[in-house]
Amino acid sequence: MKVLGGLSAQSFLSQYWQKAPLLVRSALPDPSDLIGGDDLAGLATEEAVESRLVTANDWRLRHGPFFEDDFANLPERDWTLLVQAVDHWVPEIAALFDHFRFIPTWRFDDIMLSYSVPGGGVGPHFDQYDVFLIQLSGQREWRIGQTCTEADDCRDDTELNILAQFDEQERWVLEPGDMLYVPPGVAHWGTAISEGITCSIGFRAPSRAEIWSEFAHFMAERDVEFERYADPDLNARTDPNAITSADLDRVQARLREMIEDRDALSLWFGRYMTEPKYSDIASDEPDFSDADIQQQLQVQPLMRNRAARLAYVPGWLFVQGQAVATELNEKQLQWLCNQQELTADSLSDGLDGVPFSLLSELVRKDVFYFEDGEESWV
Ligand code: SIN
Ligand code: CO
């Protein structure tokens, strides 16, 4: 694959993914025109967009939304503007995910963009997640450091997580189109050489604590009150104060029943991994009935909202953190999840007997939408 410098997806996964950094020169054809600093500054003034401004000379962090004046008064050097989840707002940026579809899409998190002037960067740090850093415009120098653990200290004079110590291993200057893959825990340090934009393709990886507590929460919600600790096999005790090994076995058996429930596990995991990053962004789609969808599809296609998260297991389609029971078979589910555009014709080819109720649900959940401007509602 070109994006992997000629490596196959499988070789990349076996040799580098979660294991070692990889630099790929010219991973993408010149992406300098994809987005500009002004577009990012514009996004950073929006209430719904998460943004940060970092100054590199004093490691000061400010949170958006910003006012235009905030940018007008910035110096010529040593700052960077970070804008989270640009894929939610700019389809051309969301399309960058397409280069990485050899990784499950439910592992994707968001695409963060950073606009920097010379000297700008967020300092030496490590992330808990894999990241593909793609230079979109300008030049940025990247240094790779040690593999970090919880024991690596951060500086205490800034609220940014900046490593107190950075053991440089390698250093490269990335040009537009170059890409650097950094596994979780590997220290890295980017500094802009010239004004430019870096794109960070980030992934989701729940911690063990999150997996445990989120699954437990899901199980607790669906469990019924009268499913209780039970000991019909209880024997008369000589010491009533002891918790015996047989008592613990009973509790453990209950826990085991729950964690061995694969149906519950898949239902929870599918919902959890498709939860939207920002659940407070409400859809402005009007409600469409099944018949409306059918009629409107004769006039215009349904477009996929690229930020919407979908996944499936047999019998369930996971949509933006919710599970929808479905009779579609695996091939149909695969087809539906991969479509960027649905037309009346493609639907009748792809899904034998189009389930309009499912489509209207997907429109209600903002996974597909009709673009404005087409002649339609009467
Ligand atoms: C940046 O673009 O400056 C930060 C990206 C990262 O280090 O993950
Ligand atoms: Co990082």
Side-chain angles (χ1 to χ4, degrees):
M1 295 178 84
K2 185 163 174 0
V3 77
L4 299 173
L7 278 178
S8 69
Q10 191 51 54
S11 307
F12 168 76
L13 294 174
S14 323
Q15 293 168 42
Y16 297 97
W17 177 249
Q18 307 229 300
K19 301 166 195 77
L22 174 68
L23 172 73
V24 179
R25 295 282 181 201
S26 304
L28 297 185
D30 189 356
S32 336
D33 291 335
L34 273 183
I35 193 162
D38 287 348
D39 304 316
L40 282 186
L43 277 172
T45 61
E46 301 278 343
E47 192 74 44
V49 178
E50 189 185 332
S51 59
R52 287 166 292 160
L53 192 59
V54 172
T55 35
N57 41 11
D58 54 0
W59 297 130
R60 187 169 157 226
L61 167 68
R62 279 192 282 162
H63 291 278
F66 297 99
F67 295 100
E68 278 177 26
D69 279 359
D70 292 326
F71 300 122
N73 298 325
L74 284 168
E76 277 177 18
R77 286 191 57 89
D78 298 340
W79 59 266
T80 185
L81 171 71
L82 304 134
V83 183
Q84 216 64 49
V86 179
D87 53 305
H88 283 55
W89 311 100
V90 185
E92 293 77 12
I93 294 297
L96 292 173
F97 273 135
D98 292 349
H99 295 285
F100 303 95
R101 289 175 72 92
F102 56 90
I103 297 164
T105 54
W106 46 263
R107 282 279 264 124
F108 296 169
D109 191 27
D110 74 335
I111 301 186
M112 183 190 82
L113 260 51
S114 65
Y115 167 80
S116 311
V117 292
V122 299
H125 68 280
F126 69 96
D127 301 304
Q128 306 272 6
Y129 312 97
D130 307 83
V131 63
F132 289 99
L133 298 159
I134 305 175
Q135 194 62 22
L136 295 186
S137 57
Q139 286 128 350
R140 186 180 291 231
E141 180 182 70
W142 282 99
R143 293 178 232 188
I144 290 287
Q146 72 275 26
T147 299
C148 300
T149 64
E150 280 163 359
D152 281 78
D153 289 331
C154 282
R155 280 170 60 151
D156 49 19
D157 56 348
T158 159
E159 57 178 310
L160 290 169
N161 285 328
I162 295 195
L163 285 164
Q165 198 188 326
F166 184 82
D167 304 327
E168 184 175 325
Q169 317 281 318
E170 273 175 293
R171 183 195 285 234
W172 304 281
V173 173
L174 270 69
E175 305 278 342
D178 292 350
M179 180 177 86
L180 177 61
Y181 164 72
V182 185
V186 173
H188 51 287
W189 185 356
T191 311
I193 305 277
S194 63
E195 176 194 354
I197 296 180
T198 303
C199 155
S200 306
I201 303 208
F203 289 83
R204 275 187 190 188
S207 68
R208 216 159 73 145
E210 281 163 343
I211 292 174
W212 188 235
S213 68
E214 293 287 334
F215 180 60
H217 182 71
F218 170 83
M219 290 305 267
E221 270 191 341
R222 75 204 303 254
D223 222 1
V224 280
E225 281 281 305
F226 48 81
E227 294 267 348
R228 283 175 182 270
Y229 176 89
D231 47 7
D233 53 346
L234 188 66
N235 291 320
R237 289 289 167 85
T238 45
D239 177 1
N241 302 307
I243 294 174
T244 66
S245 166
D247 300 333
L248 291 174
D249 284 349
R250 289 189 202 97
V251 193
Q252 198 161 35
R254 273 278 123 106
L255 279 171
R256 199 168 283 137
E257 272 164 31
M258 290 191 275
I259 59 170
E260 283 177 1
D261 185 341
R262 291 285 280 207
D263 289 340
L265 185 69
S266 63
L267 203 51
W268 163 70
F269 193 63
R271 289 176 19 159
Y272 183 56
M273 293 309 283
T274 57
E275 272 176 13
K277 188 165 175 84
Y278 301 102
S279 50
D280 52 336
I281 302 174
S283 155
D284 52 6
E285 282 300 318
D287 262 0
F288 294 108
S289 70
D290 304 358
D292 291 338
I293 300 275
Q294 191 166 6
Q295 186 198 337
Q296 189 65 8
L297 267 170
Q298 303 302 321
V299 184
Q300 65 178 133
L302 272 171
M303 305 304 294
R304 170 73 185 266
N305 167 4
R306 283 183 159 272
R309 302 179 70 85
L310 284 184
Y312 67 85
V313 295
W316 294 101
L317 179 62
F318 302 108
V319 185
Q320 304 284 68
Q322 290 173 40
V324 180
T326 175
E327 297 197 338
L328 296 183
N329 63 36
E330 261 187 87
K331 208 166 144 230
Q332 293 172 321
L333 284 165
Q334 184 181 357
W335 182 86
L336 183 63
C337 292
N338 281 321
Q339 300 310 300
Q340 297 302 332
E341 193 179 314
L342 298 172
T343 63
D345 283 349
S346 72
L347 272 163
S348 47
D349 287 348
L351 306 179
D352 180 23
V354 182
F356 285 103
S357 58
L358 177 62
L359 283 188
S360 55
E361 182 137 19
L362 292 180
V363 172
R364 269 197 301 282
K365 292 188 168 22
D366 205 20
V367 176
F368 288 99
Y369 63 96
F370 288 117
E371 258 169 354
D372 293 337
E374 301 284 333
E375 199 44 56
S376 51
W377 310 101
V378 268

